[in-house]
Amino acid sequence: MAGNFKQRIKRRERKYFNLGNRLNLRQRLSKELILLIRRWQGLSRGQVKLKYSLDAWHKRFTQGVAVLYNEPNYEEAVLLRELLKECGIQDVELVQGTQADYRSRMYFVLCPQYYKKLPEFFISVQTEVYDSADWFNAGFIKILERSAAILDVSVMNIDALITKGIDYKDIFLFSFAAERRLYYLARMLLAFEVIDVDKAFAILKTYEQIQLVDQEFVVLSMPESTKRRSSFCKAYPNIPVFDGLRHIHAWMGCALSYKYLASFALDKGIKHLAICEDDVLAEEFFAKQYNTVQEFLFQYMPQNKWDMFVGVLAEVADDITVLAVKEFEGIKFVTVDQMVSTVFNIYNTLAMEALATWDVYDRDVETNTIDRHLGRVDNGFRTVTTLPFLVGHDGESTLWGSGTNESYKTRIAAGQDKLAKKVQAFETAKKRTHRYRYR
């Protein structure tokens, strides 16, 4: 899959990385070398099966970029070339019609189904909206399966492609509309690390995709996950939706989304960032309960006594410590010293700052998912939750794939039981201390 890439990194790793560990010189390595090493480490752990390695992507882009088009798509081709240049990719050539031979570079192919011969390495750009999945016949699907990635202007098309068996991770929503096009292109280029995080964030913040309001929720959702988004928006039509960022390692795309939202919120002077994910499961009386949560956090509890509120804990570790328990308006609030979950959270300023510092160069999925990153913060966070948990988790994960829903439900139920026992022990100990004081 990426043999030459691995061999090259192994040579560099032996020469520099191990030496850096021995002599404490790791900080002197370039970010690019560390990124290459960690990318290889991630591949060696089998985090994701890539159609093309990131090394192959970078090689093609460094050899130049061409936009392949037919006459009806000339205006879109010119526009795409300008968008690529705005993303920092200057060497872009327009090429009309099927070519006898294709150079070794990256091609963006507008409507690839109309070409008799295609390049070896190309990105399909769908400019047409199809009213039926029947348009995607076997030949068309075969072309799209060959694509390194697919940019599509229609969620209807995307839904049809997924139904036809095209891998979700290869599809990216795109738009030629003025207010969204650069955002979506930068989002796709970031997913394959064609542009770096700083460049991507600068572009994304220029084209504000969502208005953030202090204490009000925003939902993190992938537009390519059409059924899940549709289901969420039908159930909760008034919550603004943020088109989450993507990466070939889905857990990194999730982390990039939180990093971006937190840094964007801090830039805007927002003090409390509330984010839920579109697989959150809320009960019938959620709205009333959430109002009570807001009253407890923002009126009753001092702001320096909590760092984040977590609607559900995906895991409750054996060494979790209960710091405080308080009954308020019929809800039991529990403060603990750790958390694992981002399904439904409210972040205070300190937690937002921690989200914004997530390290894109750390490729260790065991320790650097966004919630585990938060768990590594010095002295921990004072995390407030409720017992029972305020929300649950519904649906398959876009991070970890199919078959995760029942696993999540089992873990959440076990965690809630474990936390209940911890709370009971805390309250019993507190009563004993109280009796001892007043003997």
Side-chain angles (χ1 to χ4, degrees), residues 163-181:
T163 301
K164 291 283 187 176
I166 297 293
D167 196 332
Y168 160 89
K169 73 177 187 298
D170 295 332
I171 308 171
F172 294 81
L173 184 63
F174 185 56
S175 175
F176 283 102
E179 69 276 10
R180 306 300 293 278
R181 56 199 181 200

Side-chain angles (χ1 to χ4, degrees), residues 179-229:
E179 69 276 10
R180 306 300 293 278
R181 56 199 181 200
L182 190 57
Y183 180 92
Y184 283 128
L185 182 59
R187 179 175 175 264
M188 188 276 289
L189 295 174
L190 174 62
F192 295 98
E193 299 183 356
V194 176
I195 59 177
D196 63 25
V197 171
D198 292 339
K199 177 68 176 178
F201 278 21
I203 294 171
L204 300 178
K205 288 179 181 180
T206 300
Y207 293 81
E208 292 186 16
Q209 197 259 323
I210 195 167
Q211 294 293 325
L212 297 179
V213 179
D214 203 309
Q215 299 183 23
E216 291 190 11
F217 262 97
V218 58
V219 59
L220 174 58
S221 174
M222 299 298 168
E224 298 85 2
S225 183
T226 55
K227 285 184 170 58
R228 236 170 70 173
R229 171 170 288 195

Side-chain angles (χ1 to χ4, degrees), residues 5 9 25 48 57 62 78 83 87 103 108 164 176 201 241 267 283 288 290 318 341 352 379 381 386 431:
F5 177 64
I9 297 306
L25 296 175
V48 68
W57 274 80
T62 56
V78 171
L83 293 174
C87 289
R103 289 167 47 190
F108 286 78
K164 291 283 187 176
F176 283 102
F201 278 21
V241 178
D267 289 347
E283 298 297 335
K288 181 179 179 180
Y290 180 58
D318 291 337
S341 183
M352 290 164 58
N379 301 319
F381 282 122
T386 62
K431 288 178 182 177

